[in-house]
Amino acid sequence: MRIRIVPEVSIIIVNWNGGEVFKNCLTSLSKLKYKNWELIVVDNGSSDGSEKLAKKIILPTTNYRLLVNKVNLGFAPANNQAIKFAKGDYVLLLNNDTVVSPDLLDQLVSRMEKDKKLGVIQPKIFMMDPPSPKPTDGQAPPSPIVTEGQGRISYLDNAGSFFTRIGFLEHWGFGQKDSKEFNKETKVFSCKGACMLVRKSVIDEIGLFDNDFVSYFEESDFCWRVWLAGWKVVYFPNATIEHKVGFTIKRLDVVKINYDYYKNRIMSLIKNLELINLIYILPIHLFISLGIAFVFFLRGQKNSAVMIIDAIGYNIRNIKVTLEKRKIIQQQRKVNDQFIFNNLSRKVDFNKFINDFRRVEKDME
């Protein structure tokens, strides 16, 4: 009789003062049906005692390792720190503010095992706290909509992201009510770092995150390199989690967060685009970014305007290091930009682009 070997999964969570939210995440992990997994927690200098939670909740269930940093190193370096200890055939990168379904690993691993060219896969990510519908006729807002029969909040956080020819990403599904549109497996440009399963051999080949990103856009840069190396990145709706959107961001400097977004996005364009497309797309991206900075300045949001200028300045000062990384990526690439443009990009929806800008602007007020 043939014995089926169940692949091992290394779950990596970066925690920083996760408190009760992190406890809920760990409790959901303890209910996973999948049996062959280990947990690696990197604590980024917590002061609330949450670094002790995993030992109490997880240890009886599976193998567990805790790595403790004295200060918050950021998302990218902390995950890179943990990957050195990962023993699994697959690595699940998971935020500490998520709750996973019991069959999450069964669904994701099963799909990955069927296609050996799948490098990264993302589940359907629901908002744990969805936006309430706006009130009408002076009445109080109704209760959030819930999917019938499942008791699951029906607003999406993310179903993957797509590239655009202006260098910004379109985040598919954000804030939208779940529908048939999101029930189909889809190749995506990048997954969301809140929950993504990665084949360990892919990490061994191309590395994980760029440490210089520190936090934000690191997963998109990684998925881009996954595609360029000849692997596939997929959104898989059969698997689901819930994400407490904004839990970490609300406790940080929003202007600093957006500085990292702009800095890292520009750096990623320089690293990953073919030269002819870099010459075309980067100036457009910088022009739009400077336009946004000008709007911030006109509206009296000087710090936000300076933030974008600083992000561009960082890339100018560090261009030599970025070009060294670019050289390696371009030498190893197996997929050209045209494939990305034809299959993993979308036309710019300027209405959505403006609405996203207004949302970010509101956050930074």
Side-chain angles (χ1 to χ4, degrees):
M1 187 175 74
R2 214 170 168 186
I3 299 175
R4 179 174 177 267
I5 299 175
V6 179
E8 183 176 12
V9 178
S10 298
I11 300 177
I12 296 176
I13 301 178
V14 176
N15 175 60
W16 177 64
N17 292 330
E20 193 69 21
V21 170
F22 183 35
K23 182 179 179 181
N24 293 338
C25 174
L26 292 167
T27 301
S28 71
L29 287 176
S30 70
K31 298 176 182 178
L32 284 171
K33 296 176 182 178
Y34 199 87
K35 300 303 179 184
N36 193 15
W37 60 280
E38 64 171 352
L39 176 65
I40 304 172
V41 173
V42 185
D43 190 82
N44 260 344
S46 292
S47 57
D48 65 346
S50 57
E51 72 278 4
K52 301 174 183 178
L53 290 171
K55 185 176 181 180
K56 297 177 183 178
I57 298 172
I58 294 297
L59 197 56
T61 308
T62 189
N63 296 324
Y64 163 66
R65 179 189 289 268
L66 173 66
L67 306 176
V68 178
N69 297 320
K70 293 183 179 180
V71 296
N72 191 339
L73 299 181
F75 189 75
N79 275 289
N80 288 341
Q81 183 181 359
I83 199 65
K84 298 174 184 177
F85 299 94
K87 298 181 295 184
D89 305 284
Y90 297 97
V91 175
L92 183 76
L93 303 177
L94 187 70
N95 276 17
N96 68 341
D97 55 357
T98 58
V99 170
V100 307
S101 57
D103 67 343
L104 177 74
L105 291 185
D106 300 86
Q107 291 283 354
L108 294 181
V109 173
S110 175
R111 180 65 189 91
M112 292 283 269
E113 285 289 287
K114 292 176 182 176
D115 186 348
K116 297 302 181 181
K117 292 304 293 180
L118 261 182
V120 186
I121 191 170
Q122 173 197 313
K124 181 184 289 188
I125 303 177
F126 289 96
M127 286 184 173
M128 195 177 296
D129 305 308
S132 297
K134 294 180 180 180
T136 57
D137 300 328
Q139 299 178 357
S143 301
I145 300 172
V146 175
T147 302
E148 290 184 14
Q150 296 181 8
R152 183 178 300 283
I153 296 168
S154 62
Y155 287 92
L156 297 184
D157 170 23
N158 188 273
S161 299
F162 294 93
F163 190 78
T164 73
R165 295 290 189 100
I166 60 173
F168 293 86
L169 300 186
E170 179 182 319
H171 302 296
W172 187 34
F174 178 77
Q176 292 183 244
K177 189 181 177 185
D178 191 20
S179 66
K180 291 181 180 179
E181 176 187 356
F182 305 107
N183 288 339
K184 182 180 178 181
E185 178 181 319
T186 306
K187 293 177 183 176
V188 292
F189 175 74
S190 69
C191 296
K192 182 159 184 170
C195 183
M196 49 192 265
L197 186 72
V198 185
R199 195 179 297 274
K200 181 61 161 52
S201 57
V202 172
I203 299 173
D204 294 338
E205 178 183 339
I206 70 170
L208 189 53
F209 297 143
D210 186 329
N211 271 338
D212 290 334
F213 279 47
V214 184
S215 294
Y216 304 104
F217 208 80
E218 68 287 317
E219 75 270 56
S220 296
D221 176 75
F222 171 70
C223 288
W224 195 346
R225 289 186 284 118
V226 170
W227 276 112
L228 295 182
W231 300 86
K232 294 188 288 188
V233 180
V234 164
Y235 159 72
F236 186 61
N238 292 21
T240 62
I241 70 161
E242 293 180 4
H243 181 212
K244 196 169 184 64
V245 179
F247 174 70
T248 299
I249 290 177
K250 288 176 182 177
R251 299 174 295 154
L252 298 172
D253 182 344
V254 178
V255 174
K256 173 63 170 62
I257 290 171
N258 280 278
Y259 165 78
D260 286 331
Y261 269 124
Y262 277 89
K263 170 181 75 74
N264 296 342
R265 189 167 51 234
I266 294 168
M267 200 188 320
S268 189
L269 292 172
I270 297 171
K271 285 166 46 180
N272 297 320
L273 283 169
E274 289 175 319
L275 182 58
I276 186 66
N277 293 310
L278 178 63
I279 293 171
Y280 172 73
I281 292 176
L282 183 60
I284 295 174
H285 186 78
L286 294 177
F287 178 78
I288 293 173
S289 297
L290 289 171
I292 293 172
F294 184 64
V295 172
F296 278 136
F297 182 79
L298 290 179
R299 295 186 178 183
Q301 295 171 265
K302 183 180 177 181
N303 289 342
S304 297
V306 171
M307 168 268 294
I308 296 177
I309 305 299
D310 287 345
I312 296 172
Y314 173 93
N315 280 280
I316 295 172
R317 293 191 304 272
N318 293 276
I319 189 64
K320 185 177 179 180
V321 175
T322 305
L323 289 177
E324 289 173 355
K325 296 175 185 176
R326 170 184 170 78
K327 183 178 180 180
I328 295 171
I329 293 169
Q330 298 304 317
Q331 288 175 343
Q332 295 177 343
R333 76 152 62 224
K334 298 176 183 176
V335 172
N336 60 30
D337 286 352
Q338 199 57 47
F339 175 86
I340 303 291
F341 298 157
N342 290 343
N343 298 280
L344 308 167
S345 67
R346 293 200 171 168
K347 292 182 179 179
V348 181
D349 183 339
F350 284 101
N351 285 331
K352 187 176 186 303
F353 185 79
I354 292 171
N355 288 334
D356 286 345
F357 166 73
R358 287 172 176 165
R359 178 171 53 84
V360 171
E361 182 185 36
K362 185 177 180 180
D363 289 341
M364 292 194 292
E365 288 178 349

